Amino acid sequence: WLKAQCVLGSPFPRLPRAMVDELQAAPATKRRAGVLCFRPVAASGEAHPEAEDTCAEAGFEFLLISRRSKTRKEGGADDDGAVGGELRDKYTIPAGKFEADSDLSCEDCALREVHEEAGIECEIVRDIGWRASRSKHNQPVQTRYFLAMCVRILDSWLEDGDRERVWLSPDDALSKVGYREDLASVVQAGVVALRGTPSVASLRRGSSSLSRR
């Protein structure tokens, strides 16, 4: 449409040629969704997925997944978007591309990704919002993250040969994803939400108000 308006002419004012070229060259934004999954932990350190205690008192752990990053040239970005050259594990939050053929909403996409990548079934309790990042090809990416409580841990899953799942304290999780500002902000938002919540039950009640968009 833009090319037709600018080249063929229209009653609208013409855009400067430089602006037309920039708009036509701009890459499309990739849309993704992900889950910051948590599980309550008692003072003894034992996980209680169905605990109804106050999150701030009982404590909680976050789920992260790792994938072996391939060595890249100096200054290049690895599969997780981090710059570096060493062969090492990178920890990230389960997330993936929105599939129009199978995902009816961002929530569907997020739950599918955490199931495929980490073998976790969970219940969304809060919308953390959109985060901007860049892909390994420097393409703009927008990812919508949700806070979710672990309901079931599977023994095997689709990507268990490629990924390792780990449960970490909030401080350790923040340290592991500190190489990316967008991931760190998601963990920080999850910490604020959980420490300011009276109970897991209240989170579940609040989740019923989430609209499926």
Side-chain angles (χ1 to χ4, degrees):
W1 176 88
L2 179 60
K3 184 176 181 180
Q5 298 298 322
C6 296
V7 175
L8 301 179
S10 75
F12 301 103
R14 290 177 178 270
L15 294 175
R17 185 66 202 180
M19 184 179 295
V20 174
D21 292 340
E22 181 179 353
L23 289 172
Q24 290 178 338
T29 300
K30 293 177 62 176
R31 187 159 62 118
R32 303 168 75 248
V35 165
L36 178 63
C37 184
F38 75 94
R39 63 180 183 183
V41 178
S44 63
E46 183 180 355
H48 291 280
E50 298 183 359
E52 299 296 332
D53 298 335
T54 301
C55 290
E57 295 176 356
F60 50 90
E61 295 176 325
F62 287 129
L63 169 73
L64 296 181
I65 56 174
S66 66
R67 167 171 281 182
R68 181 68 66 180
S69 300
K70 294 181 179 179
T71 302
R72 300 183 63 85
K73 295 180 180 179
E74 184 176 357
D78 63 21
D79 291 340
D80 291 318
V83 175
E86 292 184 4
L87 185 65
R88 60 189 182 276
D89 280 332
K90 280 291 192 294
Y91 288 85
T92 189
I93 297 170
K97 181 181 176 182
F98 186 88
E99 300 289 350
D101 293 339
S102 58
D103 299 327
L104 298 179
S105 66
C106 288
E107 290 92 328
D108 286 342
C109 176
L111 293 175
R112 175 180 56 77
E113 289 294 337
V114 73
H115 186 275
E116 292 177 356
E117 295 183 348
I120 299 292
E121 294 179 359
C122 52
E123 176 184 347
I124 291 176
V125 297
R126 183 162 299 184
D127 185 348
I128 295 179
W130 294 91
R131 297 295 190 278
S133 61
R134 311 289 297 190
S135 73
K136 61 184 177 181
H137 301 298
N138 202 34
Q139 183 180 11
V141 177
Q142 286 286 340
T143 306
R144 187 176 178 183
Y145 288 97
F146 298 91
L147 181 65
M149 188 176 71
C150 175
V151 174
R152 183 185 177 200
I153 301 176
L154 304 180
D155 293 329
S156 61
W157 63 99
L158 183 62
E159 299 185 19
D160 61 358
D162 297 322
R163 300 181 185 273
E164 174 192 2
R165 61 189 177 200
V166 291
W167 293 95
L168 300 169
S169 68
D171 288 343
D172 288 342
L174 188 58
S175 175
K176 292 293 186 182
V177 299
Y179 65 95
R180 273 183 52 182
E181 183 179 350
D182 58 316
L183 298 181
S185 73
V186 171
V187 172
Q188 290 168 340
V191 171
V192 170
L194 291 174
R195 288 183 175 166
T197 301
S199 67
V200 171
S202 65
L203 275 173
R204 282 175 160 168
R205 287 194 295 272
S207 69
S208 62
S209 64
L210 282 174
S211 60
R212 298 183 67 83
R213 294 185 289 272

